[in-house]
Amino acid sequence: MSDTAARIRDEILDSMTQRFGLHVTEAVQIDQGFLNLKWRLDSDQGRLFVKQYSKVRYPEALTLGLEVSLSHQDHLYLEGLPVPKLFSHEGNYVLRTPSQERYVLMTLCDGHSIAPGSATEQQMYSLGRVVGRMHKLLNAQPASLPLYWEVRSKASMVRNWEARYHQAAARQSEDTLSALELQRRIIDRMDTGIFADCERGWGHRDLFVDNMLFSADQVAAILDFDRLHFVYPEFDIARPILSCALSEDGIGQDRVRAFVTGYREYTPLPASTLIRSLKLTWWKEAEWIAVPQQDEFPPLVRFRQENHWIAANWDRLNDIFTGI
């Protein structure tokens, strides 16, 4: 652990003791995630999890948005969803040390992580039920708010693609060039009007395996609500399906069907919406197809593989998923 991380840890632990009267007996740093510092804690109030918000990844201007996201997490917890219980102080979930280090404190959930593409049918069914109920609770009251993310226009997508293609050509990255050529063929014939009917609402936006814990046959916890925002909830359909059911052997249709079955117990999900969610996620994440960098964030490598799978199967998506 760096000296800076140790200083921040000690400052946060002191702040927690002053605010909540708890005493930590052990703090183990978690080397996972991007830029934010995280620790698993043993304390006289049970096992806890604390995360410091990086000033680079989450500048001060984003704090209000974090409060909104965490308030939704707290609501879901009170409704009985498997999410961590948050600590709050004077109505705030984003806590501060005297030097203005921001952090969030919550219970540490039981369960285990799984490798990408390795979920069982039972786990996928449970995940579908949790996500379906989450969407129902988050969007019980219709809201008319600006979208946090707008669909990129085709012209903007082409400009973005050209920059990535020129970089790949300059570096003679043949695999990237091949993937980009396939991507361009899809972009050129894409009608972004298919996204006009996407439902708008609150969504988690980061439902991949790193943010889920499982027991033997069900979801133990959904984690990391920092990115929750008013967007297209369909992101929360394609992302967990790709992350949990896509393996080297392809997409597990039985596992996709199990997710959809569970989701439909709370929220409608026609096959056409499932297919559109995959295309929406592909369009949003297309810019990740680029020349690989050294020491890349491991989930990005996986996201790139998922995006390429959608592209490679673009003309077969209806055949693959119709009837599910």
Side-chain angles (χ1 to χ4, degrees):
M1 182 187 304
S2 69
D3 291 343
T4 299
R7 175 190 59 77
I8 292 172
R9 176 203 60 195
D10 292 344
E11 207 175 306
I12 288 174
L13 295 182
D14 287 344
S15 173
M16 289 163 45
T17 298
Q18 292 173 10
R19 283 202 167 92
F20 305 110
L22 59 83
H23 296 278
V24 173
T25 56
E26 185 178 27
V28 178
Q29 187 168 2
I30 301 171
D31 185 19
Q32 187 176 5
F34 181 60
L35 294 180
N36 302 320
L37 297 172
K38 304 176 183 180
W39 291 272
R40 183 175 65 250
L41 311 176
D42 288 331
S43 80
D44 59 353
Q45 295 187 29
R47 301 172 70 223
L48 305 173
F49 170 83
V50 65
K51 173 166 64 177
Q52 171 257 9
Y53 288 113
S54 161
K55 293 181 177 66
V56 174
R57 185 173 180 187
Y58 287 102
E60 184 63 37
L62 296 182
T63 301
L64 180 58
L66 285 170
E67 289 285 0
V68 172
S69 301
L70 294 169
S71 71
H72 283 293
Q73 176 182 337
D74 193 42
H75 170 63
L76 295 174
Y77 172 80
L78 294 173
E79 290 291 339
L81 258 72
V83 304
K85 177 182 178 181
L86 290 161
F87 285 66
S88 64
H89 179 71
E90 296 181 348
N92 294 318
Y93 301 102
V94 179
L95 310 171
R96 295 175 185 269
T97 69
S99 72
Q100 298 302 300
E101 288 290 349
R102 295 161 303 155
Y103 68 97
V104 62
L105 177 64
M106 63 191 75
T107 55
L108 186 70
C109 296
D110 294 328
H112 62 270
S113 300
I114 63 171
S118 68
T120 66
E121 285 185 45
Q122 293 84 357
Q123 289 170 338
M124 290 296 287
Y125 169 70
S126 173
L127 181 59
R129 293 185 81 248
V130 170
V131 176
R133 184 165 182 241
M134 179 180 72
H135 283 171
K136 184 174 182 179
L137 290 168
L138 288 175
N139 298 298
Q141 300 297 324
S144 180
L145 298 170
L147 284 171
Y148 184 74
W149 179 82
E150 295 278 1
V151 173
R152 190 195 291 267
S153 70
K154 182 179 287 192
S156 174
M157 182 71 88
V158 168
R159 289 193 297 271
N160 180 276
W161 180 92
E162 288 173 343
R164 290 180 285 124
Y165 190 86
H166 291 152
Q167 180 193 50
R171 299 194 183 182
Q172 298 182 335
S173 179
E174 295 301 326
D175 289 344
T176 304
L177 287 169
S178 177
L180 285 171
E181 287 164 0
L182 172 59
Q183 188 178 90
R184 182 58 186 266
R185 290 195 292 271
I186 296 172
I187 292 171
D188 286 345
R189 56 193 175 95
M190 182 68 174
D191 175 14
T192 57
I194 67 171
F195 303 134
D197 293 330
C198 289
E199 180 181 354
R200 301 179 177 206
W202 296 99
H204 184 284
R205 289 206 311 136
D206 210 14
L207 286 180
F208 72 110
V209 291
D210 283 11
N211 290 333
M212 307 171 196
L213 296 175
F214 291 88
S215 65
D217 58 1
Q218 62 184 1
V219 174
I222 299 294
L223 309 173
D224 201 348
F225 282 78
D226 294 344
R227 288 169 55 83
L228 183 147
H229 223 293
F230 193 81
V231 284
Y232 300 111
E234 287 179 27
F235 288 138
D236 293 348
I237 297 170
R239 166 55 55 230
I241 285 175
L242 291 167
S243 189
C244 296
L246 178 63
S247 68
E248 293 181 357
D249 297 326
I251 200 81
Q253 292 193 37
D254 290 342
R255 291 180 289 165
V256 175
R257 185 175 292 107
F259 177 94
V260 171
T261 298
Y263 188 95
R264 285 173 177 163
E265 292 185 12
Y266 293 98
T267 306
L269 180 53
S272 58
T273 300
L274 167 61
I275 295 166
R276 185 177 64 197
S277 76
L278 291 161
K279 292 183 176 182
L280 178 67
T281 296
W282 183 89
W283 191 259
K284 181 179 185 295
E285 299 177 357
E287 63 186 296
W288 291 347
I289 301 295
V291 177
Q293 306 297 311
Q294 286 187 340
D295 301 323
E296 281 191 319
F297 187 42
L300 179 58
V301 177
R302 169 68 186 194
F303 295 157
R304 189 179 290 133
Q305 293 167 351
E306 293 166 359
N307 191 272
H308 185 67
W309 181 88
I310 296 174
N313 290 277
W314 190 270
D315 293 325
R316 298 180 56 244
L317 293 176
N318 285 339
D319 294 335
I320 294 171
F321 295 107
T322 296
I324 285 181

